[in-house]
Amino acid sequence: MTTAFSESVGIALRVNGEPVSARVEARRHLIDFLRLDLGLTGAHAGCEHGVCGACTVQVDGLIVRGCLMLAVQADGCDVWTIEGQSDTGAIRDLQDAFIARNALQCGFCTPGMLAACADLLAHDPAPSRAVIREHISGNYCRCTGYEAIVDAVEQVAARRGASPRAAE
Ligand code: FES
Ligand code: FES
């Protein structure tokens, strides 16, 4: 392996609204930078190869897999983790619905699942159950069976004033 991957690189970005400057190894993944360097342990490292969605965070308004993105690629970006999304209250209704509907059990998938569901509702305020399922199809949950998660998202969409489209 070339030594370039272990070279230290300076990056400057915003994380949860706050400016962050750091030096990171070129090979450091964003999820490890967030969890191990910044102590933002909400998003989890599960499969670490882009399959489970546990590491989902938002970068420049889009959800990404933190295990497939290098920290250096986030240089200059606006990154939001579940900690920041929680602190702003932006997803409070979604979090409440997850609790009310028993849409989490062990909670390992939940930060990534919430990020994915929040992203869906931001772009499609009235998703059908089929669309909800499609959108979270890259986020694995080994506990809930997904029905309760879909219920929670549907409930939030309805309470935000949208009428779910007919099932596709
Ligand atoms: S840890 Fe990134 S997709 Fe599983
Ligand atoms: S709540 Fe346990 S994996 Fe989803």
Side-chain angles (χ1 to χ4, degrees):
M1 181 170 57
T2 173
T3 56
F5 292 121
S6 58
E7 285 179 3
S8 177
V9 179
I11 60 173
L13 61 160
R14 292 183 74 80
V15 180
N16 296 331
E18 300 290 333
V20 172
S21 297
R23 293 200 70 81
V24 295
E25 286 189 352
R27 64 186 173 188
R28 194 119 174 108
H29 288 104
L30 179 60
I31 189 65
D32 294 329
F33 173 65
L34 294 170
R35 288 178 54 83
L36 304 178
D37 297 345
L38 302 187
L40 297 169
T41 56
H44 293 133
C47 67
E48 298 188 69
H49 62 277
V51 175
C52 74
C55 62
T56 304
V57 295
Q58 188 188 80
V59 178
D60 286 348
L62 300 174
I63 53 171
V64 303
R65 299 209 186 289
C67 72
L68 294 184
M69 183 171 181
L70 297 172
V72 294
Q73 292 176 299
D75 184 32
C77 292
D78 187 29
V79 177
W80 285 85
T81 70
I82 193 67
E83 288 90 347
Q85 290 178 305
S86 297
D87 287 348
T88 64
I91 60 168
R92 169 55 56 197
D93 55 353
L94 196 53
Q95 291 169 310
D96 288 345
F98 265 55
I99 294 169
R101 293 285 184 157
N102 292 318
L104 70 156
Q105 291 177 34
C106 79
F108 189 85
C109 72
T110 308
M113 193 69 80
L114 285 167
C117 293
D119 175 73
L120 171 61
L121 291 173
H123 294 98
D124 183 354
S128 68
R129 292 183 73 85
V131 168
I132 297 169
R133 286 184 180 282
E134 174 66 24
H135 198 80
I136 64 172
S137 62
N139 290 75
Y140 289 5
C141 177
R142 287 293 174 249
C143 302
T144 67
Y146 302 100
E147 276 298 305
I149 294 171
V150 176
D151 289 347
V153 176
E154 192 175 45
Q155 175 182 304
V156 171
R159 287 185 175 170
R160 288 184 184 179
S163 300
R165 293 195 303 261
E168 295 171 0

